[in-house]
Amino acid sequence: MAEVSMCSSSGSELSPDEERIMIRDIALAAQANSKEGDSFFLITQRWWQHWIEYVNQDQTNTSYDGSSLSEHCDLVNSIALKRPAGIDNSDLIDDAVSEDSGMGIEIHDTLLEGRDYVLLPQEVWNQLFRWYGGGPTLARKVISSGLSQTELAVEVYPLRLQLLMLPKNDRFAIRISKKETIGQLHKKSCEIFDLQPDQVCIWDYYARRKHALMNDMDKTLDDANLQMDQDILVEVINNTINTSFAQENGSAQRQSNSVLVEPSKSSLSIAGGLSASKGASRGYNMDLSSSQNLNSTVRDVENPYGTSGVTTRGSLGGLTGLLNLGNTCYMNSAIQCLVHTPEFARYFREDYHREINWQNPFGMVGELALAFGELLRKLWAPGRTPIAPRPFRSKLVRFAPQFSGHNQHDSQELLAFLLDGLHEDLNRVKHKPYIRSRDADGRPDEEVADENWANHISRNDSIIVDVCQGQFKSTLVCPVCNKVSVTFDPFMYLSLPLQSTTNRTMTVTVFASDGAALPSPCTVTVPKQGRCRDLIQALSNACSLKHNERLLLVEIRNHWIHRDFEDPLLLLSTIKDDDHLAAYKISKIDKNTKYLQLIHRRREQSNDSHIISGWKPYGTPIVSLISCDDTVTRGDIQVIVNRILFPLLRKGGNVEQATTSETSIPKATSDQCSFTSDDDACAANMVSNSLSKDSTNSKAPPMPTLPLLLVDDSNACIDLSMGEEKVVKLSPSSPKVLVYIDWSQKLLEKYDTHPLETLPEVLKYGPVTKKARTEPLSLYTCLEAFLCEEPLVPEEDMWNCPKCKERRQASKKLDFWRLPQVLVIHLKRFSYSRSMKHKLETFVNFPIHDFDLTNYIANKNNSRRQLYELYALTNHYGSMGSGHYTAHIKLLDENRWYNFDDSHISPISEDEVNTAAAYVLFYRRVKTDDDAVSNGA
């Protein structure tokens, strides 16, 4: 543990209020004179908060919220508090690392300003230290940062580098400011390993590879693009730089010319990130730099790219994740899609700051563009250490407070704000001219469209317009006077409504209870918010139900009837897609009848085959009606079951040999009509025979006795295979008669029960196949619904007809006139009403390649084919407000898709890209030339 000072307190002579006033005055003076190179000191938030409450104990307290120290010292507290003990920064110290390293005192890598610590100017720290003592002392330097190097910030985490000396293979870790020079790193290396300067050369040894000889002694480590925890190779040579370098990495001259530099002068690693982008401490709100300096003195930086793009170390650029700062997945997914837009990646990695519009009243004084550009450069830097986008988010919530806090937000809303905000910050038009719009007055569309586009560009000209903006042709027609108004309007992205599915497809297996046919699945379409009567009506029509029949609809679960749907008003929403439904055709003559439920059982794989408990249900139960007008015998039930199972009888099967008894049943049914007859009278006769005991025919062939068991009121099983004349006592209170049939292996040789064993789900989901392209809801369908002619919303969006001089509900038709290089498409999954919020989980089949919009262009003079290819999209999983966002992004250099899930990045196949979670799609126009295009080029 680091030692702390036990200075005696001279502050005990001062009252709390006197301490407050003194520190406030010191802080104000320090704030006015802060400059690069000054020292700031970390103090634990816990101790600082105690001191703030102590010095304000005679006034009304307001908890510390990161305001300036001068304001802070005016905070008050009505509760009497004891004077704080000595300063104790021990909770900031990583003891394990400090003891094992030679770098001195190390703080934890995950500290946050305002949560874990506060930064104090040196004068403030000195005074508190004189009063309270303690420690340990944690000093940090103020450095310049930002693209123009005029912003000041405290370097809380200096670079931590791993020095590796060859040929001895010794290792040593050091801390060094990113503003130190290569010459100073060279000097430190010589001192650590006790070497002469002319004996040593140092290499950028990123990823254990010699990337560049570091021989420009005046270049800063920041400009050399060194990363946190990076290896530096310290190579011992005999005399001077010799041909040994050329043997491995080319000549020394070539290496010195190929030193890789990050275009940003403030490229910072995540662990070495600055505590604040403007001001050394949130706690003091220090304005350490003047905003005028950003406008007047911008340091010139060389552009190392030219037209061929930048060369980066390694081939894995663009695979850096973003840490989730607390429900910020919506922001991370949108940022990654923009960052991996090739045109933006190229623009923000070049000298874009010359286009920043510092005076635009509609912009953010360039701060949003600078923050985004800085973040983009870090994400495209070599390496894959995730980045915490805190500086960017702080700028975002400053200009868009609706995104503050830790609630989940809409990724598309953030994207819309970013595109608009970046456009205004980068608008090349410094003074927007006033332009009076003109009517078409019969002029050709081409002339009017070009005029409107030129007017738009004269006021709005930025990289965002260049890349993302297109033009609509909007046609309004008055329903009264037929006045036609044509306008041409710009657009930044498309918001396509998903046609909310009002219908639902349901599959139900239909059984003929009279043995007329095998069971067959029947798929029908019903209203999504419909009721059971709608489903029964649709099934009745689909299965050609006769006039004297009705359907009994039930749910089957674990081979039993789980519930019936006798209530016609029951909502279909209570039936899930993975439920299994059966519908039984039964007679409408149901007075004084009961439902006979035939449950199928087969023997388990057991040695005790004669034990009844060894039989288990399988397959689908079959339901028929049984009349209770007269007494019911065991033989009556045998007749009904034989009729039910008739369609399952194998051809040529001798049933009598397979049954447990060869005793014929005298009460046989009439043989005057076939089981497959379609005649209504015959069907009625069959039903009558099934329900009546008086319709026996002595000429009927003998029917085999099946192994049936009747379950009585006490759940005892009665063997129905013997004593067919015996009367069966039916429960007067139960509407059903439960009968088991035990299928022996011998009996299964005569009957084929496979049709009973496969009961499909209501709606079976499967993987997306090529057939999905023909599904009704494709992206083309959504686009056509968006572009189709429709009346304006009454009252809300009425049109002032210039001819009628009245507000009219005109019809509106949209067409594309010109399309952008990058087409952003928002699928409107979220809907809002006064009482509820709803998310549509509709699967939209969107093309990844060859998204052809040629036929949707109204400008027929544009003969260029409009083909687009998907390169990125955001996904939303779960419900509104509690879901999760990810991004699928294609690295064009690698021609490979990746899933960006906050800080976690993993490769995926192209088949995994299209899911029902797709939310915002990013398409890029296919180039006609053969030039290779890179996200980062």
Side-chain angles (χ1 to χ4, degrees), residues 498-517:
L498 303 188
Q499 301 303 307
S500 180
T501 306
T502 57
N503 293 328
R504 178 184 182 186
T505 299
M506 303 182 74
T507 298
V508 180
T509 302
V510 179
F511 292 78
S513 298
D514 58 3

Side-chain angles (χ1 to χ4, degrees), residues 118-191:
V118 175
L119 287 166
L120 305 179
Q122 182 168 358
E123 297 83 355
V124 174
W125 166 263
N126 289 343
Q127 185 60 60
L128 290 175
F129 188 75
R130 280 194 293 268
W131 288 342
Y132 293 93
T137 301
L138 303 172
R140 295 294 187 267
K141 292 291 185 182
V142 175
I143 63 173
S144 59
S145 68
L147 184 68
S148 60
Q149 297 291 292
T150 58
E151 294 189 6
L152 302 181
V154 179
E155 189 179 26
V156 176
Y157 291 100
L159 280 176
R160 183 168 54 213
L161 301 177
Q162 304 290 331
L163 304 182
L164 175 64
M165 187 185 72
L166 291 182
K168 292 184 178 181
N169 209 30
D170 292 342
R171 296 187 68 88
F172 196 88
I174 65 169
R175 283 280 191 184
I176 185 171
S177 171
K178 56 175 60 72
K179 293 303 178 181
E180 298 278 16
T181 64
I182 292 176
Q184 290 165 319
L185 175 61
H186 186 275
K187 181 180 178 182
K188 284 181 180 290
S189 301
C190 294
E191 292 173 351

Side-chain angles (χ1 to χ4, degrees), residues 557-560 598-606 608-621 707 709 717 739-744 748 753 756-757:
R557 188 177 298 181
N558 296 326
H559 314 294
W560 293 84
L598 183 66
I599 308 297
H600 309 275
R601 301 196 306 181
R602 61 185 170 189
R603 192 179 299 281
E604 287 185 294
Q605 298 298 323
S606 172
D608 300 328
S609 59
H610 63 283
I611 300 175
I612 294 180
S613 61
W615 298 88
K616 293 199 68 174
Y618 85 104
T620 307
L709 295 170
C717 292
V739 176
Y740 292 134
I741 179 169
D742 292 338
W743 292 95
S744 64
L748 287 173
T753 62
L756 305 177
E757 298 176 29

Side-chain angles (χ1 to χ4, degrees), residues 549-566:
E549 294 177 324
R550 68 181 181 89
L551 289 178
L552 172 66
L553 184 66
V554 300
E555 178 190 349
I556 306 298
R557 188 177 298 181
N558 296 326
H559 314 294
W560 293 84
I561 294 178
H562 176 68
R563 60 171 173 163
D564 62 56
F565 300 99
E566 293 273 49

Side-chain angles (χ1 to χ4, degrees), residues 97-347:
V97 176
S98 298
E99 292 172 2
D100 295 340
S101 71
M103 295 181 292
I105 300 174
E106 283 286 296
I107 63 174
H108 291 286
D109 284 339
T110 56
L111 300 180
L112 291 178
E113 184 187 2
R115 185 193 72 182
D116 302 308
Y117 66 86
V118 175
L119 287 166
L120 305 179
Q122 182 168 358
E123 297 83 355
V124 174
W125 166 263
N126 289 343
Q127 185 60 60
L128 290 175
F129 188 75
R130 280 194 293 268
W131 288 342
Y132 293 93
T137 301
L138 303 172
R140 295 294 187 267
K141 292 291 185 182
V142 175
I143 63 173
S144 59
S145 68
L147 184 68
S148 60
Q149 297 291 292
T150 58
E151 294 189 6
L152 302 181
V154 179
E155 189 179 26
V156 176
Y157 291 100
L159 280 176
R160 183 168 54 213
L161 301 177
Q162 304 290 331
L163 304 182
L164 175 64
M165 187 185 72
L166 291 182
K168 292 184 178 181
N169 209 30
D170 292 342
R171 296 187 68 88
F172 196 88
I174 65 169
R175 283 280 191 184
I176 185 171
S177 171
K178 56 175 60 72
K179 293 303 178 181
E180 298 278 16
T181 64
I182 292 176
Q184 290 165 319
L185 175 61
H186 186 275
K187 181 180 178 182
K188 284 181 180 290
S189 301
C190 294
E191 292 173 351
I192 289 169
F193 295 115
D194 194 21
L195 299 170
Q196 295 298 319
D198 57 355
Q199 293 181 318
V200 174
C201 63
I202 57 176
W203 294 82
D204 179 344
Y205 205 49
Y206 180 83
R208 307 302 296 268
R209 239 185 103 250
K210 283 185 177 180
H211 282 281
L213 176 65
M214 301 174 67
N215 58 358
D216 186 347
M217 297 301 174
D218 295 326
K219 179 178 289 184
T220 67
L221 304 183
D222 189 9
D223 291 341
N225 195 23
L226 296 188
Q227 308 294 316
M228 184 69 71
D229 292 321
Q230 182 178 321
D231 288 332
I232 299 295
L233 179 62
V234 180
E235 190 169 39
V236 180
I237 56 178
N238 292 329
N239 296 309
T240 60
I241 298 175
N242 54 35
T243 56
S244 65
F245 303 145
Q247 294 173 1
E248 183 172 354
N249 286 291
S251 68
Q253 180 62 39
R254 281 209 310 270
Q255 287 293 340
S256 65
N257 290 338
S258 63
V259 174
L260 301 170
V261 281
E262 173 75 12
S264 169
K265 293 297 180 179
S266 57
S267 173
L268 309 172
S269 66
I270 174 176
L274 303 176
S275 64
S277 62
K278 196 169 185 179
S281 167
R282 278 203 311 246
Y284 299 120
N285 195 22
M286 297 293 185
D287 186 10
L288 298 183
S289 65
S290 171
S291 60
Q292 285 81 1
N293 291 339
L294 292 175
N295 191 22
S296 59
T297 43
V298 178
R299 181 201 242 174
D300 292 331
V301 292
E302 62 175 332
N303 177 9
Y305 307 115
T307 58
S308 61
V310 62
T311 304
T312 57
R313 297 179 297 188
S315 60
L316 295 179
L319 290 177
T320 302
L322 290 168
L323 293 175
N324 193 314
L325 306 180
N327 267 341
T328 56
C329 56
Y330 74 95
M331 179 183 77
N332 293 348
S333 61
I335 288 174
Q336 291 287 13
C337 290
L338 289 180
V339 161
H340 288 84
T341 298
E343 291 76 8
F344 294 157
R346 184 183 305 114
Y347 177 85

Side-chain angles (χ1 to χ4, degrees), residues 413-579:
E413 291 180 1
L414 172 76
L415 182 66
F417 172 81
L418 283 181
L419 289 174
D420 187 62
L422 290 173
H423 159 66
E424 295 296 354
D425 266 5
L426 299 169
N427 197 346
R428 304 176 186 110
V429 179
K430 309 305 179 185
H431 303 285
K432 296 185 177 183
Y434 172 76
I435 298 175
R436 194 187 197 101
S437 60
R438 295 173 54 197
D439 291 333
D441 292 332
R443 292 182 293 162
D445 283 349
E446 294 77 9
E447 179 183 340
V448 179
D450 290 345
E451 179 183 275
N452 278 267
W453 186 252
N455 292 343
H456 176 64
I457 295 299
S458 69
R459 294 173 54 85
N460 301 276
D461 184 15
S462 69
I463 181 64
I464 306 299
V465 175
D466 297 344
V467 174
C468 292
Q469 288 199 357
Q471 190 179 32
F472 280 134
K473 175 185 177 182
S474 177
T475 305
L476 289 170
V477 180
C478 177
V480 177
C481 68
N482 293 323
K483 165 69 177 177
V484 177
S485 173
V486 176
T487 58
F488 294 87
D489 305 305
F491 67 89
M492 187 102 69
Y493 53 85
L494 305 179
S495 285
L496 303 188
L498 303 188
Q499 301 303 307
S500 180
T501 306
T502 57
N503 293 328
R504 178 184 182 186
T505 299
M506 303 182 74
T507 298
V508 180
T509 302
V510 179
F511 292 78
S513 298
D514 58 3
L518 287 169
S520 61
C522 185
T523 301
V524 295
T525 300
V526 293
K528 195 171 187 179
Q529 303 301 324
R531 301 179 184 273
C532 282
R533 63 188 178 192
D534 300 312
L535 176 57
I536 292 174
Q537 182 61 50
L539 290 170
S540 300
N541 296 335
C543 70
S544 302
L545 196 70
K546 298 179 176 63
H547 69 275
N548 60 346
E549 294 177 324
R550 68 181 181 89
L551 289 178
L552 172 66
L553 184 66
V554 300
E555 178 190 349
I556 306 298
R557 188 177 298 181
N558 296 326
H559 314 294
W560 293 84
I561 294 178
H562 176 68
R563 60 171 173 163
D564 62 56
F565 300 99
E566 293 273 49
D567 182 2
L569 299 181
L570 187 68
L571 291 173
L572 291 180
S573 58
T574 62
I575 302 175
K576 307 304 180 186
D577 286 342
D578 57 354
D579 287 344

